[in-house]
Amino acid sequence: MQTDNNCIVIFGASGDLTHRKLIPALYNLFKIGRLNERFCVLGVARSDLNDETFRQKMREALLNTEETTPETLEDFCRHLYYQAVNTSDASDYGKLVPRLDELHDQHQTCGNTLYYLSTPPSLYGVIPECLAEHGLNKEEHGWKRLIVEKPFGYDRKTAEALDVQIHRFFKEHQIYRIDHYLGKETVQNLLVLRFSNGWVESLWNRNFIDYVEITGAEAIGVEERGGYYDGSGAMRDMFQNHLLQVLAMVAMEPPAIINANSMRDEVAKVMHSLRPLTQDDVEHNLVLGQYTAAEIDGKEVKGYLQEKGVPANSRTETFMALRCEIENWRWAGVPFYVRTGKRLPARVTEIVIHFKTTPHPVFSQNAPENKLIIRIQPDEAISMRFGLKKPGAGFEAKEVSMDFRYADLADDQVLTAYERLLLDAMKGDATLFARTDAVHAAWKFVQPILNYKEAGGRIYEYEAGTWGPVAAEKLIAKEGKVWRKPSGLMKKKV
Ligand code: NDP
Ligand code: BG6
């Protein structure tokens, strides 16, 4: 299905996300013929740029993309425009009215407009109001949709307040809260793995599963984003959104049909079923950490407190591990261990489903574990681990693996998360975007962690390049379990 004719208005067009992710995603969609040819992009920000200088900036960003030719690049750039607007002055948005009329006429985009909010989050409530002041939210001539970048709120109260602000001018069906993890092919594949295979679904519950591990590890530090990150931390940056969404995909019930409402009903149910964290949980089932300087591969790596934009006395966590539970019939009593962090030994996102062992070990005392490892990124793969007989005398069981690499399935180019989600928003498909009730439930769940941090809760140190504080190992060891230590190399074997 092709997208409707439409004009994409990017607020924050002079910023990092626009040139690093959004324009390259649109360019690739253009190159592979997935965009309707009647489209245009209007970049908006305060910087003093014009169409030509904006195109030049974007050209430079795109020159590094694979398989580009000067002709295709120029064809694409002819669809790009720029309008300087003082984003905090409502009257200045008036400039957008004639500009958009002209572009809709020129590119025959039928008034369909996709607003992308890629500015500092403090403007997420302001921009919709300013657009509405000039009638730019009205759907009489073409649809109007709003993509809102993360973070959606800073805590439960601010997320609710932001919704109230936006809902005054845009209806829920017009709002697309982006979480790029939902755009990842392998996250969507989880649903297909679970709901298209009878044997998987029949084992996918508390009767067979011992515990679930979810890891979102990054090898990089905070890079140039210290200023932003310090106000956020691992909990707000990764856990409240990306990892809780992944957890919901692991835990949700099968939707009646695959459409935005059914899917998102099931996601919201998981968020509502998370067992509320008690004071005891935050003290005993949560570990927060911050990386310290180290030498990695012969190179000195800064500690978090030495990073640019980070106050020397910061208590922001760059690592978080949590044991949580889901209170419903499928999952009651099954621990979910979730961890995320910067400056860990590898960039890897994976889910490990640990199955229960046999009730009585017949062949050896150390029966091999049965586990299903779902590698979300990189080297996307699924690996099933189980025991088979070790060749030779006796009956010694040995762990073996059955591996599947996602790349072996793809005969077409796999879209990146931003490509997929931009395309979906242009088609009006909100299935892979976060819905308001799920976002609020996620904030409600994490609020005790925020309170714990604010009340001076403990932040452990860990050396850059390690798997986080020792306390995280102890957390999982309390139940006799261990975190998997995924290697960065999963080219052939997971
Ligand atoms: P940048 O700081 O690089 O860009 C912010 C943009 O907003 C600039 O174009 C800036 O341009 C514009 N802007 C408009 N009004 C204001 C204002 N009043 N104050 C400051 N800037 C203003 O941010 P990013 O591009 O990195 O991020 C944009 C949003 O996307 C953020 O909310 C971020 O959390 C989110 N995000 C970013 C990711 C990334 O990888 N960069 C990943 C996931 C989410 P000008 O000064 O010309 O007005
Ligand atoms: C972003 C966070 O949302 O996700 C970053 O702000 C993080 O801090 C990034 O690095 C991780 O995304 P990915 O797709 O590289 O796993």
Side-chain angles (χ1 to χ4, degrees), residues 11-18 20-21 44-48 82 85-88 116-124 127 149-151 180 225 228 242 418:
F11 286 91
S14 58
D16 173 76
L17 188 68
T18 302
R20 236 172 19 86
K21 297 278 185 189
V44 177
R46 297 167 306 175
S47 297
D48 185 20
Y82 183 85
V85 170
N86 179 356
T87 39
S88 34
Y116 198 119
L117 307 193
S118 174
T119 59
S122 53
L123 290 172
Y124 293 170
I127 294 171
E149 254 305 335
K150 67 167 272 241
H180 77 278
R225 297 171 71 214
Y228 148 78
H242 304 327
Y418 274 100

Side-chain angles (χ1 to χ4, degrees), residues 14-53:
S14 58
D16 173 76
L17 188 68
T18 302
H19 75 82
R20 236 172 19 86
K21 297 278 185 189
L22 305 182
I23 293 291
L26 289 168
Y27 181 49
N28 197 41
L29 291 172
F30 176 79
K31 274 196 309 190
I32 60 176
R34 299 290 292 272
L35 280 188
N36 188 311
E37 60 193 35
R38 290 181 184 153
F39 86 96
C40 59
V41 176
L42 177 64
V44 177
R46 297 167 306 175
S47 297
D48 185 20
L49 299 174
N50 57 34
D51 293 347
E52 200 30 59
T53 47

Side-chain angles (χ1 to χ4, degrees), residues 105-153:
D105 270 358
Q106 191 178 331
H107 289 272
Q108 300 174 31
T109 37
C110 311
N112 295 329
T113 315
L114 180 62
Y115 299 109
Y116 198 119
L117 307 193
S118 174
T119 59
S122 53
L123 290 172
Y124 293 170
V126 174
I127 294 171
E129 180 166 4
C130 296
L131 289 172
E133 202 156 300
H134 299 276
L136 290 167
N137 58 337
K138 299 247 158 60
E139 293 201 297
E140 281 127 26
H141 304 290
W143 50 253
K144 304 291 177 291
R145 295 179 192 142
L146 193 65
I147 299 189
V148 188
E149 254 305 335
K150 67 167 272 241
F152 197 89

Side-chain angles (χ1 to χ4, degrees), residues 21 149-150 179-181 184 216-218 220-222 225 228-229 232 236-238 241-242 342 347-349 377 417-418:
K21 297 278 185 189
E149 254 305 335
K150 67 167 272 241
D179 185 314
H180 77 278
Y181 267 54
K184 291 183 191 282
E218 293 185 273
I220 54 168
V222 293
R225 297 171 71 214
Y228 148 78
Y229 192 88
S232 174
R236 289 189 174 95
D237 189 50
M238 288 290 290
N241 33 69
H242 304 327
K342 299 235 183 241
R347 174 180 184 248
V348 53
T349 306
Q377 63 183 19
Y418 274 100

